């Protein structure tokens, strides 16, 4: 299981639950498929899928969890057509035009009747708790999806005091400085960035497969544009795209790391999952501090306030 994105949260208090306690509490919010009238459900599933037997997977003292959301899919166009047909029937049979309130009630009734026959769409969200480093790491580029998992985790565990990690230095200006000068030690610039106008954030320039320190791009920066997103690599181990919120997207581990995982002999998919997770969380335990250090270190003022 290799994460493709990273949203990194800092525990404001030490995480002291044991894996066994986490497993027990997650069972109270275990996933259940939508009933005939439920539009959506959310709960915990086994990270290993059919290969697993528990709602957590532990390695290197890190605890992986996986939530699953299931939604009934009712296309708006289908509901609209059914509503129009119902309104037309009322006009023809009763010679009257339904009021606005009646239209709303008719729509709700149609949705109620159609839900049992609706298509079902499922989505899984992985994350892991690293008690040693005090992190919750979510494999998502969407803050809303990550927050959905965190809310579910709070409902299950009772308390999950986390805040997004924040750098000491402003990300916009730090990444802009790198383009004007050089990448921080251990990092290399990639070939992609997104620039925004410091006076008007709706003005955006996207550069792809470019020399990011070319005269053309530096001219944009000299005219007042700032770096919002930047492609980079670290220590010949990972490639990634980082933005002004320190959201890491398009995370890709190097061939060297992937080969190291492949070299470990495994007999089952569950064993391979365990090897991959072990290597991944060990690499991220080194990468994340390096990334924070590149942005001037972690801003701990919010932690002190908490």
């Amino acid at each position: 299981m290799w994460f493709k994105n990273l949203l990194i949260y800092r525990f404001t208090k030490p995480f002291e639950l044991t894996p066994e306690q986490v497993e027990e509490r997650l069972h109270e919010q275990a996933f259940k498929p939508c009933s005939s009238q439920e539009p959506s459900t959310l709960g915990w599933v086994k990270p290993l899928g059919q290969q697993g037997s528990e709602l957590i997977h532990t390695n290197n003292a890190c605890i992986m969890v996986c939530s699953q959301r299931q939604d009934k899919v009712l296309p708006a166009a289908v509901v609209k057509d059914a509503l129009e047909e119902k309104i037309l029937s009322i006009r023809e049979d009763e010679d009257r035009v339904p009021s606005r309130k009646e239209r709303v009630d008719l729509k709700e009734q149609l949705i109620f009747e159609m839900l049992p026959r609706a298509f079902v769409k499922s989505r899984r969200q992985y994350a892991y708790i690293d008690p040693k480093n005090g992190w919750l790491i979510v494999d998502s580029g969407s803050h809303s999806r990550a927050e959905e998992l965190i809310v579910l985790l709070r409902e299950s565990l009772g308390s999950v005091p986390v805040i997004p990690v924040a750098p000491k230095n402003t990300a916009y200006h730090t990444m802009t400085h790198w383009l004007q000068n050089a990448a921080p030690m251990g990092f290399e610039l990639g070939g992609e960035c997104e620039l925004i106008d410091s006076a008007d954030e709706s003005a955006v320039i996207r550069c792809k497969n470019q020399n990011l320190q070319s005269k053309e791009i530096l001219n944009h920066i000299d005219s007042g544009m700032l770096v919002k997103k930047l492609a980079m690599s670290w220590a010949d181990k990972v490639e990634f795209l980082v933005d002004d919120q320190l959201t890491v997207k398009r995370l890709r581990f190097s061939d060297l790391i992937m080969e190291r995982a492949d070299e470990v002999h495994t007999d089952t998919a569950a064993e391979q999952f365990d090897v991959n997770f072990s290597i991944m969380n060990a690499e991220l335990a080194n990468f994340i501090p390096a990334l924070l250090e590149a942005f001037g270190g972690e801003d701990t003022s919010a932690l002190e306030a908490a």
Side-chain angles (χ1 to χ4, degrees), residues 1-2 261-262 264-277:
M1 175 59 204
W2 301 96
D262 292 338
V264 179
H265 176 72
T266 58
D267 294 321
T268 65
E271 290 177 356
Q272 189 62 58
F273 185 103
D274 185 64
V275 169
N276 294 349
F277 181 40

Side-chain angles (χ1 to χ4, degrees), residues 111-181:
I111 291 174
F112 181 82
E113 294 172 356
M114 298 168 73
L115 268 177
R117 304 190 303 274
F119 292 108
V120 175
K121 179 175 67 174
S122 296
R123 182 184 75 238
R124 289 191 170 196
Q125 183 69 70
Y126 289 85
Y128 73 87
I129 298 165
D130 184 339
K132 179 181 178 181
N133 289 300
W135 298 325
L136 170 66
I137 300 174
V138 186
D139 180 14
S140 177
S142 165
H143 287 270
S144 61
R145 290 187 180 181
E147 186 61 29
E148 181 180 75
L149 180 142
I150 292 171
V151 168
L152 181 63
L153 201 57
R154 288 195 180 109
E155 291 175 354
S156 301
L157 303 185
S159 174
V160 182
V162 295
I163 57 174
V165 294
K168 287 183 178 178
N169 298 336
T170 306
Y172 281 120
H173 295 102
T174 301
M175 293 188 289
T176 302
H177 176 77
W178 294 343
L179 255 62
Q180 290 175 308
N181 297 275

Side-chain angles (χ1 to χ4, degrees), residues 237-290:
K237 292 185 175 182
V238 294
E239 297 176 358
F240 59 97
L241 185 77
V242 64
D243 67 12
D244 58 298
Q245 301 297 314
L246 253 63
T247 303
V248 175
K249 298 183 179 180
R250 302 213 303 261
L251 181 69
R252 180 182 176 276
F253 291 88
S254 70
D255 291 341
L256 185 64
I257 291 176
M258 302 301 284
E259 288 170 3
R260 178 153 41 106
D262 292 338
E263 287 172 358
V264 179
H265 176 72
T266 58
D267 294 321
T268 65
E271 290 177 356
Q272 189 62 58
F273 185 103
D274 185 64
V275 169
N276 294 349
F277 181 40
S278 172
I279 293 174
M280 181 183 73
N281 65 52
E283 292 296 338
L284 292 181
N286 293 319
F287 166 67
I288 292 172

Side-chain angles (χ1 to χ4, degrees), residues 60-160:
N60 292 338
C62 294
I63 306 168
M64 180 177 283
V65 296
C66 181
S67 66
Q68 180 165 314
R69 180 182 180 88
Q70 189 175 84
D71 294 289
K72 292 283 186 70
V73 181
L74 273 178
V78 173
V79 177
K80 180 182 177 182
D81 288 346
L83 179 60
E84 289 178 351
E85 184 177 336
K86 188 71 173 177
I87 292 171
L88 179 60
S89 176
I90 292 174
R91 284 178 174 175
E92 293 177 346
D93 297 343
E94 304 178 24
D95 192 26
R96 67 182 181 87
V97 178
S99 66
R100 184 176 182 278
K101 181 181 183 305
E102 189 176 358
R103 288 170 182 247
V104 172
D105 292 342
L106 284 171
K107 182 177 179 180
E108 291 179 354
Q109 180 63 29
L110 285 169
I111 291 174
F112 181 82
E113 294 172 356
M114 298 168 73
L115 268 177
R117 304 190 303 274
F119 292 108
V120 175
K121 179 175 67 174
S122 296
R123 182 184 75 238
R124 289 191 170 196
Q125 183 69 70
Y126 289 85
Y128 73 87
I129 298 165
D130 184 339
K132 179 181 178 181
N133 289 300
W135 298 325
L136 170 66
I137 300 174
V138 186
D139 180 14
S140 177
S142 165
H143 287 270
S144 61
R145 290 187 180 181
E147 186 61 29
E148 181 180 75
L149 180 142
I150 292 171
V151 168
L152 181 63
L153 201 57
R154 288 195 180 109
E155 291 175 354
S156 301
L157 303 185
S159 174
V160 182

